[in-house]
Amino acid sequence: MENEITIQELETWEKGTYQLIDIRTELSFNYGHLADAVNIPEKALRETYRQLEKKRIVLYCQKGELSVEPTAFLREQGYEAYSLKGGYLACLLRTSEQKEEEDTFYLDVEQSIRKKFHKSIWSRFTKAINTYELIKPGDKIAVCISGGKDSMLMAKLFQELQRHHKFPFEVLFLVMNPGYSEANMKIIEGNAKRLHIPITVFETNIFESVYHVEKSPCYLCARMRRGYLYNKAKELGCNKIALGHHYDDVIETILMGMLYSGQIQTMMPKLYSTNFEGMELIRPMYLVREDDIKAWRDYNHLGFIQCACRFTDTCTTCGDGVNASKRQETKEWIRKMKQSNPFVEAHIFRSVENVNLNTVIAYKKDGVKHHFLDDYDGYGDSMDSSPR
């Protein structure tokens, strides 16, 4: 296609002679992007294009589809602009294929966990395990890998933990394929191979089931995936599944519950399944910050997919952020509050550890609602009859 450039052609250009622009949403960019790229979503690009340098410009999105039109727009304005063929996904595939045979790469990654990220990642990982008693002797844990940065790091941390464990436990690295495209599956398998993570893959048709659901397809997909993971893990003899939710997920969930659902709740570090007897979910990344996960990813030059679902395959998540998720909105709120209160994240996290029931109007426990008026008068009588 005219005005397109392949990643192979781009590699022949001298650095500094062109500007690489990622037109995806800020959320997608923060999850992973090409080196030296700047993030200017398409809408912002059309509004600020006059500020761009007069040098060759290369635009990319997730799959190389949505970058075609803004490339044509820039050319109409007199810029020498190109659309990166295949987009970010093509670059991940190329990196995976180029480096698949590096036999010692995983050793460098493991060394980075022990040294550079010992305090920020490893210590917080083990602190969560000890604080919330997530692992016990004899456990067989299915470490669930989605293919993203969080779950891949969690897998490496579990491998490290097994080398230093004080009691016996087993680990199985489980990858569910809910209907990934061939390219996305290659990236997941390629990263697992490079990182020496022995994955067990099983197939489902979840994406096909939710593809035509108009209302909350992501919610339904998440529920179905959780059920399939529990079922497969139990079938393989596991008593726990481990998910890669991190500290930022926790505080965002707290705020989202308040702002969008009118309730105070949190993402628990562990919980028993109500539908799969004897199964438990644990979140060992509970105290690890997302910025530190990103730093680990970038330090080791790793590239992961943000979301491998069919909606991403059709490039619908590469837009200008008009339909940004509530979680992204919450991230933005926290970022703004942090500018005036640098401790706001810790305060949000600790708020659900310091609930004073004497100052709560009502609360639920085991599905039963309790109201402060239930025993309010009796409490007053007891106060009046107390010794003075």
Side-chain angles (χ1 to χ4, degrees):
M1 185 182 296
E2 188 180 0
N3 305 333
E4 271 193 334
I5 183 173
T6 65
I7 184 63
Q8 292 88 343
E9 292 172 323
L10 184 62
E11 288 172 351
T12 66
W13 289 7
E14 184 180 348
K15 286 188 178 297
T17 64
Y18 63 94
Q19 185 174 6
L20 190 59
I21 300 178
D22 187 323
I23 66 165
R24 299 175 301 161
T25 64
E26 183 181 1
L27 177 63
S28 298
F29 181 81
N30 287 337
Y31 204 90
H33 56 83
L34 302 183
D36 303 320
V38 296
N39 183 216
I40 310 179
E42 182 180 353
K43 182 179 179 180
L45 180 67
R46 291 179 181 274
E47 294 172 350
T48 62
Y49 70 90
R50 293 181 181 86
Q51 301 174 18
L52 297 175
E53 296 182 56
K54 286 292 185 179
K55 62 166 68 172
R56 287 183 293 185
I57 295 173
V58 178
L59 306 183
Y60 74 88
C61 61
Q62 186 77 1
K63 288 193 65 180
E65 297 174 5
L66 294 186
S67 56
V68 174
E69 188 175 330
T71 295
F73 168 77
L74 289 182
R75 281 187 167 266
E76 290 173 0
Q77 311 308 316
Y79 289 89
E80 184 184 351
Y82 300 88
S83 173
L84 185 60
K85 187 174 182 178
Y88 182 60
L89 185 60
C91 297
L92 290 185
L93 273 172
R94 178 166 171 78
T95 300
S96 177
E97 292 167 356
Q98 285 179 325
K99 299 182 177 181
E100 200 172 81
E101 302 304 320
E102 295 179 13
D103 292 335
T104 62
F105 173 75
Y106 76 100
L107 297 175
D108 295 331
V109 173
E110 292 170 358
Q111 181 75 355
S112 74
I113 292 173
R114 299 187 197 106
K115 299 295 184 180
K116 183 173 179 62
F117 298 99
H118 184 275
K119 182 178 180 180
S120 60
I121 293 179
W122 173 251
S123 293
R124 295 188 181 195
F125 174 76
T126 56
K127 181 179 179 180
I129 289 173
N130 294 327
T131 300
Y132 303 114
E133 300 178 355
L134 302 183
I135 302 177
K136 295 181 179 179
D139 279 344
K140 185 173 181 179
I141 305 166
V143 178
C144 301
I145 299 175
S146 66
K149 66 186 192 311
D150 309 326
S151 59
M152 282 293 191
L153 171 58
M154 179 176 64
K156 293 307 298 180
L157 290 169
F158 263 104
Q159 287 182 324
E160 192 68 19
L161 187 66
Q162 281 199 302
R163 297 188 185 96
H164 302 88
H165 70 275
K166 299 178 181 178
F167 52 80
F169 69 93
E170 294 182 62
V171 171
L172 177 71
F173 301 103
L174 194 60
V175 174
M176 178 181 62
N177 181 358
Y180 294 155
S181 68
E182 183 180 352
N184 279 321
M185 201 62 208
K186 280 184 178 180
I187 292 172
I188 294 172
E189 292 173 337
N191 277 326
K193 185 174 181 179
R194 292 185 66 208
L195 293 171
H196 274 226
I197 301 172
I199 58 176
T200 297
V201 181
F202 71 102
E203 310 287 331
T204 70
N205 63 349
I206 294 176
F207 288 168
E208 187 66 32
S209 301
V210 303
Y211 186 59
H212 297 291
V213 175
E214 295 183 4
K215 187 176 181 180
S216 304
C218 294
Y219 173 77
L220 177 60
C221 179
R223 289 290 299 270
M224 291 180 68
R225 283 191 286 180
R226 184 77 56 84
Y228 273 101
L229 286 169
Y230 269 128
N231 189 63
K232 188 64 177 181
K234 188 171 184 177
E235 177 187 313
L236 294 172
C238 299
N239 66 311
K240 293 180 179 180
I241 66 171
L243 301 184
H245 297 118
H246 48 67
Y247 184 96
D248 296 73
D249 291 325
V250 177
I251 61 175
E252 289 158 15
T253 297
I254 296 170
L255 270 191
M256 287 171 66
M258 297 172 65
L259 298 175
Y260 300 109
S261 302
Q263 59 184 335
I264 297 176
Q265 61 180 8
T266 189
M267 182 180 284
M268 298 297 288
K270 65 179 181 180
L271 58 111
Y272 285 109
S273 170
T274 55
N275 298 317
F276 296 86
E277 185 178 356
M279 294 297 294
E280 189 176 2
L281 181 154
I282 61 173
R283 295 183 168 102
M285 304 277 283
Y286 203 78
L287 301 178
V288 180
R289 299 304 308 267
E290 186 175 25
D291 282 346
D292 294 320
I293 299 174
K294 292 176 184 175
W296 168 82
R297 174 200 64 195
D298 295 342
Y299 178 81
N300 289 292
H301 305 291
L302 289 162
F304 301 109
I305 50 178
Q306 176 195 358
C307 175
C309 75
R310 188 176 298 183
F311 299 103
T312 303
D313 284 346
T314 55
C315 224
T316 56
T317 60
C318 302
D320 58 7
V322 174
N323 296 315
S325 68
K326 288 182 174 60
R327 186 167 293 276
Q328 179 59 18
E329 293 174 1
T330 305
K331 282 180 181 288
E332 187 62 27
W333 275 106
I334 295 173
R335 183 166 59 183
K336 289 180 178 179
M337 289 189 290
K338 190 176 179 180
Q339 294 175 359
S340 58
N341 180 3
F343 305 106
V344 68
E345 293 156 312
H347 291 166
I348 294 171
F349 186 88
R350 292 171 185 162
S351 67
V352 292
E353 295 181 342
N354 296 305
V355 178
N356 185 345
L357 292 182
N358 289 327
T359 64
V360 173
I361 299 295
Y363 66 94
K364 288 182 180 179
K365 182 172 176 60
D366 299 328
V368 179
K369 186 173 182 178
H370 302 270
H371 198 279
F372 88 104
L373 288 177
D374 292 345
D375 58 4
Y376 178 78
D377 290 334
Y379 179 76
D381 293 340
S382 65
M383 292 292 290
D384 290 339
S385 61
S386 62
R388 298 185 185 277

